[in-house]
Amino acid sequence: MTIHTSVTEQEISVADTIQRVSSPAHGAIDLFIGTVRDNHNGQDVTGITYDVHEPIATATFARICREAAGLWPDTHYAVIHYKGELPVGGTSIVIAVSAPHRAESFEACRYVIEEIKKHAPVWKQEHYRDGKSTWLPGHSLRQESAQADTCCGKCGGAQHD
Amino acid sequence: MIKPSAIAGIVLAGGKSSRMGRNKALLPYKGQPLIDHMMALLRGAGLQDIFISGHLLDYPGIADESPAAGPVEGIRSVIKHKPGYQGYLFVPVDMPLLTPSVLRLLLAQEQGGYFINAPLPAYLVPPFTPCASASVQSFLDAQGIYPVDLPDSLAHTMKNTNTPQEWEEALSAS
């Protein structure tokens, strides 16, 4: 298992990221590339500024990769996050995961991006066409799942006080 | 399949670990406590709401109503204290070789499921039928859940680790 995590203010090189995980024993590399979208909640977005707490972010990325490596054996990881301003279409994050076979590479890569979305200390400032901008969490805050007051469905709640 | 956000994932960690001689949940596995690995496993299977059954230092857990009464008591306590989910996936803390894909085989069983000859891991879907038995198998039977086949190629993932020797075997197999 190898893990590389970093934060950069330079344009992220996809080829570099792939290079960090490639291995002769691996037959699959899965790649996730996050890019800036031109709309959010109905507003026209012209760009995003990313603020990243670098030491905590790289450590969080590494922890998530270690977790994934425990689940999908013999996998390699590279996570590179951009810090600074990006126009629409710009690349904010690149994740590469290599594995002996494709199934693990897909699954582990999905795991890493989903966990980063939930836990990484990344904030983003969206810039809109009307000249305004707003800060929002770069990771979607986890929704507590709605917990209705259900029970076994048979006891009418008597067993669940 | 029920959507993963409506399914609770639970690591059963309320055992005494008497044969292991130390708390199994905190054994180091791949650079982290086993309990953390097992929680990551449930997230790897796509679940979002993960709970621990049992009391572990520094971890928020759901305590058994009758401590040391076995895994069924842990299952009952979770169902009681975390109602509202459309499904509950229980994994024992001491199966480090389980994989997300094995768990997804169970999650695909809309009426709940477990593997033949192995009552845990188990996927339970409400409504639940009260059952006083301390045996997981009897509890599953009472819920009307049927076992499913586990492909031979995945049989090794079901290895229990109750003793230091079994633990060493699991470490070398992973």
Side-chain angles (χ1 to χ4, degrees):
Chain A
M1 168 188 69
T2 66
I3 292 174
H4 166 86
T5 65
S6 60
V7 172
T8 179
E9 295 178 36
Q10 314 295 321
E11 189 180 336
I12 303 174
S13 160
V14 172
D16 257 17
T17 316
I18 293 173
Q19 194 64 41
R20 291 180 183 279
V21 299
S22 65
S23 154
H26 286 183
I29 297 175
D30 196 68
L31 202 57
F32 175 82
I33 303 175
T35 57
V36 176
R37 201 175 48 220
D38 71 357
N39 65 87
H40 181 228
N41 285 346
Q43 288 189 280
D44 288 338
V45 174
T46 57
I48 292 179
T49 301
Y50 289 87
D51 191 12
V52 182
H53 189 291
E54 195 167 335
I56 299 180
T58 49
T60 303
F61 298 158
R63 174 182 64 75
I64 291 168
C65 293
R66 276 199 306 277
E67 285 177 357
L71 297 177
W72 294 279
D74 193 17
T75 39
H76 295 178
Y77 300 81
V79 176
I80 303 179
H81 203 294
Y82 183 79
K83 178 179 181 175
E85 192 171 347
L86 281 176
V88 168
T91 298
S92 56
I93 187 170
V94 177
I95 300 170
V97 178
S98 77
H101 307 288
R102 65 185 178 281
E104 303 96 284
S105 70
F106 278 118
E107 293 189 353
C109 189
R110 177 78 192 255
Y111 181 89
V112 171
I113 182 59
E114 297 296 342
E115 289 300 301
I116 285 176
K117 284 271 182 189
K118 280 183 265 181
H119 300 297
V122 173
W123 295 266
K124 52 187 189 181
Q125 182 185 22
E126 282 185 343
H127 307 288
Y128 305 111
R129 191 163 302 287
D130 61 10
K132 293 180 181 154
S133 68
T134 185
W135 282 99
L136 40 141
H139 49 96
S140 37
L141 294 176
R142 211 186 94 181
Q143 302 278 319
E144 290 299 325
S145 53
Q147 295 190 16
D149 253 343
T150 56
C151 67
C152 66
K154 296 178 179 176
C155 71
Q159 294 172 28
H160 308 278
D161 316 321
Chain B
M1 187 176 145
I2 295 167
K3 67 176 191 301
S5 60
I7 300 171
I10 303 99
V11 184
L12 291 167
K16 287 186 292 188
S17 304
S18 41
R19 280 173 287 170
M20 189 65 78
R22 50 195 283 220
N23 193 337
K24 286 190 274 196
L26 301 176
L27 290 171
Y29 185 77
K30 302 210 169 178
Q32 58 184 339
L34 180 57
I35 185 74
D36 287 339
H37 169 76
M38 298 308 287
M39 289 194 287
L41 168 71
L42 290 167
R43 289 196 297 274
L47 306 188
Q48 294 169 16
D49 288 8
I50 315 293
F51 304 107
I52 296 170
S53 163
H55 181 69
L56 284 177
L57 209 60
D58 295 336
Y59 289 85
I62 301 163
D64 288 6
E65 308 246 312
S66 324
V72 175
E73 194 54 40
I75 292 172
R76 278 197 206 96
S77 296
V78 169
I79 290 169
K80 178 172 171 182
H81 291 285
K82 298 289 174 187
Y85 288 94
Q86 292 175 40
Y88 296 80
L89 177 61
F90 291 90
V91 298
V93 74
D94 61 356
M95 284 193 175
L97 303 182
L98 278 174
T99 66
S101 44
V102 169
L103 296 184
R104 279 196 290 265
L105 291 177
L106 292 183
L107 294 175
Q109 313 299 319
E110 300 229 340
Q111 307 301 318
Y114 60 98
F115 295 112
I116 291 172
N117 297 329
L120 288 172
Y123 176 46
L124 275 61
V125 175
F128 298 113
T129 305
C131 168
S133 171
S135 135
V136 178
Q137 185 66 61
S138 308
F139 184 84
L140 295 173
D141 291 345
Q143 309 310 316
I145 299 175
Y146 293 100
V148 295
D149 254 327
L150 180 71
D152 285 346
S153 61
L154 296 173
H156 67 281
T157 65
M158 302 288 290
K159 190 172 175 51
N160 257 137
T161 53
N162 285 311
T163 64
Q165 188 191 342
E166 285 170 350
W167 178 248
E168 290 305 321
E169 287 167 12
L171 283 182
S172 55
S174 62

